[in-house]
Amino acid sequence: MTHLKSPAPRQVIRARPADLLVFLAVAFGCAWLAAIPLWTAPPNAPGAALQITLAGMQLSPTLAVLAVWLLRRDNARMWARDTGLTFGGRPGRVLGVTALTWIAVPLVVAATIAISALVGVFPTDLATLSGYRQVFPQSTHGFAATGLAIALVVYPLLFAIGAFGEEWGWRGWLLPRLMPLGQGRALLLSGVIWGVWHAPLTVTGHHYPGLGWWGVPLFTVACVAIGSVLGWLRLRTASVWPSVIGHAALNGTMPALYLVVSDARHPADPVLGGVFGVVGWVVVGGIALLLTTRRWAEPA
């Protein structure tokens, strides 16, 4: 009997213009609808509205994928394969890359904090943990270390649900359909789209307090850098799961690391320091260039 192997996941997919329009219309439209609670919330009570907006926005790219699938009525197994839901035919490698990503992301965040502190745009207070003690007044260094360890291990799992909502759309569905433009252009364009999609959050000061619309192009630069790394993971493994864990690890561990080292008396400058600031652009952008321009750059 001849055993036929299942076809390899496609990394370059030519999409119909109508599919791209539907995807972007649903992703952006649902994101702005999800932001209504944030826009209409009283200034002194934004917490719940922000959480509702975040949950709704993160779901919108997945809704966009499902909308295109419902219009096309493609085979569900092929659709899952071509949007990265499988393990790309090499589960061991996908799991290994996912594990390395889980470890590497907090290290990269820590590196951006350290460099930002050295150049004076991210003041830190490891001696008294003044920033951390603003939130946990009775905490000790041991308490902070334990909390940080839990965050590094547990938070990527907790944040993976929301990260999947984004990654299945941006890296799972959209990126392979931009690949006919070439890998560099596809990563650049998908990052720009991802950054602009964040506008409902960015204009309210979520990423750069007080900047309003001026924060959108700044955050778009950060999204191009971060999205290029997440996109490389997707293309290299033919699976969306390393990107999901990378995204979740960033969202989950970055606030925890920031909180532990922050100086309550001298807040960091988010435009210059940290992952989303100029230092982050250089560090993460450098990693993206290294990954995408060396011998390991080609998709699997």
Side-chain angles (χ1 to χ4, degrees), residues 129-246:
L129 302 179
S130 58
Y132 192 78
R133 284 179 171 162
Q134 272 194 325
V135 181
F136 303 102
Q138 304 303 319
S139 64
T140 64
H141 280 74
F143 181 89
T146 301
L148 181 58
I150 292 173
L152 296 178
V153 174
V154 176
Y155 283 10
L157 293 176
L158 297 179
F159 281 76
I161 297 173
F164 173 81
E166 290 191 51
E167 290 303 315
W168 193 33
W170 304 127
R171 258 62 66 177
W173 188 89
L174 180 62
L175 180 58
R177 286 153 182 84
L178 296 178
M179 282 293 286
L181 300 173
Q183 179 175 276
R185 292 186 181 91
L187 291 172
L188 174 63
L189 181 56
S190 63
V192 169
I193 292 171
W194 189 34
V196 174
W197 171 85
H198 280 92
L201 286 174
T202 308
V203 297
T204 59
H206 182 65
H207 302 111
Y208 308 103
L211 285 188
W213 283 99
W214 290 106
V216 175
L218 298 179
F219 194 66
T220 298
V221 175
C223 284
V224 169
I226 297 167
S228 294
V229 175
L230 297 177
W232 178 84
L233 291 170
R234 159 70 168 107
L235 297 173
R236 188 63 181 169
T237 63
S239 175
V240 78
W241 298 111
S243 303
V244 169
I245 289 299

